[in-house]
Amino acid sequence: MLLNKWKLIIIFIQTINQSICVDLNNITEKDVDKLQMEYRDMNYVIFVKHPYYIKSHDEENFCPVPYSHVVDYAEISYEGIELIDRSLMIVVYNCVAEKKYKLAYMIFLNAIESMAFTYMYRFCEFAIEMNKRCAEISFYLKVFSDKLTELIPIINREWISPEPYECILDVYENHKSEKYKFNEENENYRNDLLGCMNLMKDKVNFLREAKNETINEMTISKLDRYHNMNYQVINYRLTLKKYSPALKHITGDKNQTSCIICKTEHSGNIWDIYFFSPWAMAGAAICVLAILKHVLYVIN
């Protein structure tokens, strides 16, 4: 069934070694460099003003921490770092030059979060407008499904809230009787998508990307071009490099886990949480087989 491949397996494993362990209380320059290498194409996006990601109080600017679970701190001071009309690469470079590694890391993750949510938000806009015009979206839905399959591991891997994409999954699961054409007006379907958009509305358009247009009066052909522009932005910018490890463990926050390969102690329960995608499990299986082969060789 279409959209079934969106469903990734979430497995919780206790005390297992991990290839990446990022301590949020002690972010290093190496952690920032690794993040930039893993999302190399993100470095060239340009920041614009945004009330959610650039908060001001007490005469200082702050950025939020994007994690979807409870953390020890909810925001980090910019401390004079300029964002507006600068590329992500330059902003991160300036943070690193001043040894503000935690700030650099959070700004980068906020950029990932905003770009992913903006893509999903714009698809919901597109789907709603197409339904108003009784236009079939089965082809576009498949393309969106394919891209979302790539985005979900990134969202889970970086501990960004899964609530928006889970909402979209539920919409299409609840309306699956329409056979994914949605070429008849359906107010309940549109209202459900509006509910998903509401989850993301405060976080969209942090980055300068596709031109912002009013789509209410667009023709179907222009809606098609608008949707394609949205797809191209996410396709060329937010991509996890193939050589990047599939799993990430982040520690150092309240109600989060300790890392068994880290040297320092952290607060929270001792639980290691992993997100597996099918290709990640395939890689893990290869590693297990290699270890077993080595063990058998030693025994013999």
Side-chain angles (χ1 to χ4, degrees), residues 32 36 87-99 104:
V32 177
Q36 284 187 289
S87 70
L88 180 56
M89 180 169 58
I90 294 299
V91 171
V92 170
Y93 174 83
N94 290 339
C95 290
V96 169
E98 297 189 26
K99 298 184 178 180

Side-chain angles (χ1 to χ4, degrees), residues 172-186:
Y172 286 103
E173 177 65 24
N174 294 337
H175 293 274
K176 61 185 178 182
S177 61
E178 288 151 64
K179 299 180 181 178
Y180 303 108
K181 291 184 178 181
F182 302 98
N183 53 357
E184 295 181 2
E185 285 193 82
N186 187 324

